[in-house]
Amino acid sequence: MKRCAAAGSVERAKPSFIAVVGSANVDLTTFNDVFPRPGETIFGKKFDLGFGGKGANQAVAARLCGANVGMVAKVGSDLFGPATIRNFESQGIDARHVHIAEGVSSGVAPIFVDPSGQNRIVVVKGANDTLSPEDVDAAAPLLLKADTIIMQFEIPLRTVYHTVKFAKANGIRSIVNPAPAQPVDYKEVGAADYFIPNESEVEAITGMSVHSIDDARKCAQFLLRQGMRRLVITLGAHGSFAAGPERMEIFPAFQVQAVDTTGAGDAFIGSFAVFLSEGLSEEEALPRANLYAALSTTKVGTQKSFCNRAEFEKEWRNRGGHR
Ligand code: RIB
């Protein structure tokens, strides 16, 4: 990897290979001013149908950032399953380990976005819940090519724990995104190189509230004591808080006009994995991932709100790496 003089941008020597062991959903997003009360029917303002799922979103973000990407996932034997596989293929993502689970629905996510761009999501896991440790083993030839393997919590936790062990045994960097939050076996996820929750996830997992950077620091100290190696707590408009045994640091967010924050966390993780895999340091990768995530909030939808690498680099240069 060579560094260009202009604004610290990076000339990439070879594309990285990112593998995602995770979920694929179809997102059904409505844009509403208010939410219905029990027994009430209201009109929404707008509807958007798109490919989503935290795993698939992270895979697409990584691909758009220029990495080669392989996906390990299960989709349903319904209209959405084959369409999801075609979506991966059309983006140049290796989907040979995305299989159809017979007799099961695809993962779906009704999403409600309010006028400030904040979202509320209900995930029905469907086929995602059938992704097993055996599926991960069957995908070993693909996973062994990876610089980084990313996981989330929309698949069975035993599959996440198995994949963390696989990555560790084979010297591959692993990133666990505990979303949606569930009680965690710290011993199992502690072997991952990065644990990346957002503020509500870290609150749910630790039982500690996070309203300030200082709260994030206390939470991170607690998680490091439980055996986590490195953490990044994403704090939305406040940026991302990185913590390891030797130091902790906040990386402020970039100012943008947000219309829909759905998928911003996935944009952050997919791009962060690519920047790290290209050889950038954590201190260089985190501000870039912050910007990549922020840019995704300026458009509607999840995967379709992610920009490509050229668009990202242009924005990074224009901002000179500044907020
Ligand atoms: O992080 C956003 C994603 O969460 C959506 O795409 C939805 O499918 C849920 O998985």
Side-chain angles (χ1 to χ4, degrees), residues 23 25-27 51-54 57 108-109 111 121 123 154 262-266 302:
S23 57
N25 296 333
V26 167
D27 291 346
F51 293 104
K54 295 178 194 302
N57 296 345
V108 291
I111 300 177
I121 306 180
V123 169
E154 288 179 334
T262 316
D266 301 327
T302 45

Side-chain angles (χ1 to χ4, degrees), residues 74-78 80-81 101-108 124-128:
K74 283 282 184 66
V75 293
S77 58
D78 51 18
F80 294 149
E102 288 304 328
V104 187
S105 80
S106 288
V108 291
V124 180
K125 287 199 277 180
N128 295 305

Side-chain angles (χ1 to χ4, degrees), residues 72-95:
V72 180
K74 283 282 184 66
V75 293
S77 58
D78 51 18
L79 276 179
F80 294 149
T84 300
I85 293 175
R86 280 197 301 277
N87 177 52
F88 286 130
E89 289 169 346
S90 72
Q91 316 236 18
I93 292 172
D94 185 338

